[in-house]
Amino acid sequence: NVSSQTININIRNLNKGKAAFSYLRGEDIVLIDSISPIGKTNFHYSFAKNASHLGLYRLSLTDSSWIDFIIDWKDVKLNTDADNIIDSMIAINSESNKIFYDFLKLNKEYKSKTEKLRSILAKYSKDDDDYISAENKLHQLQKEYLKFVNITSQKDKKSFAARYIHSVQLPVDTLDLPYDVQKANLKISGLDNINFDDDDLIYSDAFPTKLKDYIALFKDPKQIGRAHV
């Protein structure tokens, strides 16, 4: 049996009152309740015993601003800033949400730095010092990304956070291969990391996220290494 649990989310610089509390089911956002803040910044919700399920939940502040978090039958306490939700997020007592937001931050950084480094690589020949420097930085960036998704986040492989991150991780391109070859390879292996038999992942955006990325391979050869943020 699952015991009762509480969710506390403190949001600085909040300009709006009520927020919608929902859970994710693929592309659907299923409303649970509308919550008014306590003292303008703190949102509190309590689940009765056995009332929640494992998965991704969402506190929607506006149509374009929300906080996603994992419920794994443990209390959740989060602190963030409404103007910079992901980068300002601090998970106080939830290891799953700490790992989840470390992953979101890493994806955001990986996307930004990869695009900048690739623009440098496109400008110079392979024997140029600027090309060599950018290539080395990109290799290091990829190494750090793979270490997180394959080792750091997988300490508890059975946890929802570990399974989610393993499923939605980005492909890491090989610089020595041309885009058309990488694209062809990803058409074969692009869905290898996601377990479509994992019923818990239904309560997240994992399946539609990966399918969208996979379909994009058939439209845009530059989709390799794009981040999900």
Side-chain angles (χ1 to χ4, degrees), residues 177-215:
L177 296 176
Y179 268 116
D180 57 343
V181 176
Q182 294 182 59
K183 182 182 175 184
N185 289 342
L186 282 174
K187 285 181 179 180
I188 298 171
S189 63
L191 298 176
D192 284 356
N193 287 324
I194 191 162
N195 180 7
F196 287 101
D197 292 325
D198 188 337
D199 291 340
D200 289 333
L201 291 178
I202 292 172
Y203 295 103
S204 75
D205 59 354
F207 294 153
T209 293
K210 289 305 293 184
L211 287 172
K212 285 178 181 177
D213 289 346
Y214 185 69
I215 291 170

Side-chain angles (χ1 to χ4, degrees), residues 117 120-121 126 128-144 175:
L117 290 170
I120 294 173
L121 294 178
K126 290 187 177 183
D128 190 278
D129 288 343
D130 288 326
Y131 183 98
I132 295 170
S133 175
E135 184 180 41
N136 290 335
K137 288 178 181 177
L138 186 53
H139 278 307
Q140 183 61 31
L141 184 66
Q142 292 173 334
K143 183 179 179 180
E144 292 170 359
L175 295 178

Side-chain angles (χ1 to χ4, degrees), residues 100-114:
F100 175 61
Y101 269 90
D102 284 347
F103 175 65
L104 295 185
K105 292 172 186 177
L106 182 63
N107 261 6
K108 184 178 178 181
E109 180 184 30
Y110 184 80
K111 176 184 178 181
S112 174
K113 290 186 177 181
T114 296

Side-chain angles (χ1 to χ4, degrees), residues 10 25 27 29 53 55 71 76 83 89 162 181 183 212:
N10 189 69
R25 185 183 173 97
E27 293 186 318
I29 303 167
H53 60 256
I71 285 184
V76 174
D83 296 329
M89 179 61 70
V181 176
K183 182 182 175 184
K212 285 178 181 177

